Amino acid sequence: MFILNEKIAPPPRQQIFNDYDRQDAAIAKRAEDERWMEHIIEAFLGKLKLIWK
């Protein structure tokens, strides 16, 4: 007796990616950029006040 046997692989598991590290890095970069922008704006406004007077 000959029985055909076929093995079917289960479907691949859905991968769950946690991008928390990437999100934290993006938030830190935005905070750093904002901090530098505040210094630049304050310096620019200080110069404008000196010129305005």
Side-chain angles (χ1 to χ4, degrees):
M1 178 181 225
F2 183 71
I3 299 175
L4 292 175
N5 189 4
E6 181 181 351
K7 291 184 179 180
I8 299 173
R13 289 185 354 184
Q14 183 179 8
Q15 293 181 343
I16 299 173
F17 295 104
N18 294 330
D19 288 340
Y20 297 125
D21 293 336
R22 187 178 294 169
Q23 290 173 356
D24 291 343
I27 291 169
K29 183 178 183 324
R30 274 189 236 117
E32 183 70 19
D33 291 346
E34 289 175 6
R35 185 178 70 85
W36 281 106
M37 289 301 294
E38 288 175 3
H39 290 292
I40 292 170
I41 291 171
E42 287 175 6
F44 182 68
L45 290 177
K47 297 290 182 182
L48 282 178
K49 287 179 184 177
L50 289 175
I51 294 171
W52 195 263
K53 289 184 178 182

